[in-house]
């Protein structure tokens, strides 16, 4: 019997009553689009994150797309981001006709390296082919990027900052939850994220009144004073009321679940230190632990051994974005972003969720230890 990689069922078992009640309520009132649960969720999300606006939307991808649209980013513009992330982070830049410029990561945090960021911004400015407009740091695996350093660089070079917190809603930087770092913060409610619904969903968080107004318009086809007054090109970017109803009880237990994830992560780190490289969390951060990702030698043979031992694993990410065929027109070659490339060969994510029991966890750590013992 294999243990689960992420156990959505265990969470459902504890919240089943509230979730079914919420869905039933929506079926009864019938306001399936922008119903009362959407407004209720937006209030609860903004309270939780300590930010003025939380605007829900149809996915984490649209949550990235809409602020860039609001800032009118397009052809001729450069948007800096990490290649060590999910495709959506950079895809939205290309969708708008702008150019993603990849910046290598810090091996210890898996997040964009601020020193490399500044160097790259200076290089792009000097080359003069693209206008630097924005940076999208990603809080990978739930760990906040180095927001203070990124903000300093962004201010100096007049860049907008869009924080991709798709994996990190609820994580803290300098004691504050993500949501208010940068000009806007995007998150995803894809089922496997730390706060997930039962389908697609996302949200944009911001303190910026003007940006919030633009996003409210963009997510309903660029509406003006009403739905049939269209003042800009927009999208159909709304969150379903049913998904909002599902997220409400899940948000109520999120803080508690984050504590449980932290306990699981602490136990992994305690028992795997010295055997593999365990994730490092800077002192001024907490992680939402979307993934617990190690760096290891013989990654593929460890992975095979774990799989045979009933321990599922995942590799995020096998191929950094600068080497994806989708971006081949950008002209990157192997070796261009060495840290991301080397990490993609050594990274491995272990089962992680808030409801993991100690027996399952010792099955994981025991199997990792056994693999390296049998080889030394
Ligand atoms: C999941 C994810 C997204 C996209 O979210 P969707 O809700 O699947 O559209 C964007 N960025 C990162 C880093 C992600 O992990």
């Amino acid at each position: 019997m294999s243990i689960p990689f992420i156990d959505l069922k265990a969470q459902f078992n504890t919240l089943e009553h509230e979730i079914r009640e919420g869905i039933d309520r929506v079926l009864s009132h019938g306001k399936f689009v922008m119903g009362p649960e959407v407004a209720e969720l937006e209030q609860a999300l903004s309270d939780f994150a300590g930010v003025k606006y939380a605007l829900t939307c149809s996915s984490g991808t649209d949550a990235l797309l809409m602020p860039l649209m609001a800032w009118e980013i397009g052809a001729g513009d450069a948007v800096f981001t990490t290649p060590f992330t999910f495709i959506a982070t950079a895809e939205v830049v290309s969708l708008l006709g702008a150019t993603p410029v990849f910046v290598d990561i810090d091996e210890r945090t898996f997040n964009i390296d601020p020193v490399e960021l500044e160097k790259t911004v200076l290089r792009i400015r000097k080359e003069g082919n693209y206008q630097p407009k924005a940076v999208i740091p990603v809080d990978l695996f739930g760990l906040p990027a180095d927001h203070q350093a990124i903000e300093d660089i962004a201010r100096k070079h007049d860049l907008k900052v869009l924080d991709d917190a798709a994996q990190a809603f609820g994580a803290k930087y300098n004691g504050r939850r993500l949501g208010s770092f940068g000009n806007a913060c995007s998150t995803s409610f894809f089922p496997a994220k730390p706060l997930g619904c039962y389908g697609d969903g996302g949200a944009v968080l911001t303190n910026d009144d003007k940006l919030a107004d633009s996003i409210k318009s963009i997510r309903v086809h660029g509406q003006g004073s009403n739905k049939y007054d269209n003042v800009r090109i927009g999208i159909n970017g709304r969150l379903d009321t049913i998904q909002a109803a599902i997220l409400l009880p899940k948000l109520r237990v999120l803080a508690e679940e984050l504590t449980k994830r932290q306990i699981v992560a602490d136990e992994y780190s305690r028992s795997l230190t010295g055997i593999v490289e365990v994730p490092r969390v800077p002192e001024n951060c907490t992680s939402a632990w979307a993934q617990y990702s190690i760096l290891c030698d013989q990654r593929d043979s460890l992975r095979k051994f774990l799989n045979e031992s009933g321990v599922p694993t995942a590799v995020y990410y096998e191929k950094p974005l600068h080497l994806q065929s989708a971006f081949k027109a950008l002209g990157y070659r192997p070796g261009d972003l060495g840290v991301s490339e080397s990490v993609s060969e050594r990274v491995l994510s272990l089962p992680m969720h808030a409801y993991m029991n100690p027996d399952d966890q010792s099955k994981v750590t025991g199997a990792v230890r056994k693999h390296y013992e049998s080889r030394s």
Side-chain angles (χ1 to χ4, degrees):
M1 261 293 279
S2 201
I3 67 166
F5 185 70
I6 290 178
D7 195 345
L8 296 177
K9 203 71 189 283
Q11 186 201 47
F12 181 66
N13 289 341
T14 70
L15 297 176
E16 176 167 3
H17 181 68
E18 292 98 309
I19 289 174
R20 286 194 191 278
E21 244 182 18
I23 295 173
D24 253 357
R25 215 175 309 123
V26 178
L27 295 178
S28 302
H29 68 52
K31 297 188 182 85
F32 300 116
V33 175
M34 295 309 261
E37 286 79 4
V38 172
E40 197 188 328
L41 176 66
E42 292 185 339
Q43 184 63 50
L45 288 167
S46 63
D47 289 346
F48 187 88
V51 63
K52 198 161 170 191
Y53 301 97
L55 302 166
T56 56
C57 62
S58 41
S59 69
T61 305
D62 285 343
L64 290 164
L65 181 68
M66 292 194 294
L68 299 179
M69 288 174 76
W71 296 328
E72 298 182 353
I73 283 173
D77 296 337
V79 177
F80 302 86
T81 192
T82 156
F84 197 64
T85 178
F86 182 59
I87 182 80
T89 312
E91 182 182 43
V92 290
V93 176
S94 295
L95 260 176
L96 294 174
T99 301
V101 178
F102 295 113
V103 176
D104 217 346
I105 57 167
D106 176 337
E107 174 174 297
R108 296 174 319 153
T109 61
F110 304 113
N111 285 328
I112 195 166
D113 180 340
V115 174
E116 290 301 313
L117 172 62
E118 181 147 43
K119 272 200 241 167
T120 311
V121 174
L122 289 170
R123 176 172 60 79
I124 293 295
R125 274 175 59 167
K126 191 155 162 237
E127 288 172 0
N129 299 322
Y130 305 105
Q131 183 74 28
K133 280 287 173 66
V135 52
I136 311 181
V138 177
D139 309 299
L140 201 75
F141 303 146
L143 180 69
D146 190 350
H147 288 291
Q148 188 59 60
I150 292 162
E151 202 171 287
D152 291 346
I153 296 164
R155 198 178 308 112
K156 202 158 128 193
H157 296 281
D158 197 20
L159 304 174
K160 298 280 191 197
V161 179
L162 173 56
D163 178 21
D164 183 350
Q167 304 181 4
F169 187 74
K172 288 182 185 170
Y173 181 88
N174 286 347
R176 243 163 71 207
R177 300 241 193 239
L178 296 182
S180 51
F181 296 95
N183 303 85
C185 171
S186 304
T187 196
S188 164
F189 304 131
F190 183 79
K193 311 281 178 173
L195 177 62
C197 59
Y198 292 153
D200 282 305
V204 181
L205 300 105
T206 187
N207 281 320
D208 181 333
D209 300 322
K210 185 162 164 270
L211 179 65
D213 276 347
S214 303
I215 286 172
K216 283 182 203 165
S217 163
I218 290 169
R219 81 173 161 184
V220 192
H221 304 285
Q223 75 174 7
S225 54
N226 67 70
K227 197 169 153 187
Y228 300 103
D229 172 33
N230 310 104
V231 297
R232 54 161 67 77
I233 297 299
I235 61 173
N236 177 354
R238 297 166 300 229
L239 179 75
D240 294 339
T241 310
I242 284 187
Q243 298 302 344
I246 291 162
L247 283 162
L248 278 163
K250 288 187 174 218
L251 179 59
R252 285 195 280 271
V253 299
L254 180 64
E256 195 184 315
E257 288 186 350
L258 291 172
T259 304
K260 290 181 179 163
R261 284 176 187 266
Q262 183 62 51
I263 291 168
V264 173
D266 287 342
E267 171 55 20
Y268 269 141
S269 296
R270 191 193 61 77
S271 57
L272 296 177
T273 295
I275 300 168
V276 295
E277 261 190 76
V278 301
R280 269 168 282 187
V281 177
E283 289 239 313
N284 63 339
C285 296
T286 64
S287 177
W289 295 111
Q291 304 295 338
Y292 185 91
S293 304
I294 58 171
L295 286 175
C296 56
D297 299 327
Q298 312 159 1
R299 193 262 319 272
D300 295 338
S301 72
L302 171 62
R303 193 173 189 204
K304 185 161 170 281
F305 180 77
L306 290 177
N307 194 41
E308 287 162 4
S309 313
V311 175
T313 58
V315 173
Y316 303 114
Y317 294 90
E318 296 259 9
K319 195 189 275 191
L321 297 188
H322 66 290
L323 301 178
Q324 293 284 358
S325 311
F327 292 122
K328 71 171 177 288
L330 299 176
Y332 288 94
R333 274 171 310 196
D336 284 348
L337 297 163
V339 181
S340 300
E341 291 169 35
S342 134
V343 165
S344 71
E345 287 165 11
R346 292 184 296 136
V347 72
L348 189 68
S349 300
L350 303 178
M352 164 56 85
H353 57 90
Y355 300 86
M356 193 161 187
N357 67 54
D359 286 349
D360 283 358
Q361 193 171 16
S362 50
K363 190 169 165 184
V364 181
T365 55
V368 174
R369 242 185 265 121
K370 196 163 157 205
H371 174 264
Y372 287 105
E373 274 164 12
S374 68
R375 304 216 153 211
S376 58

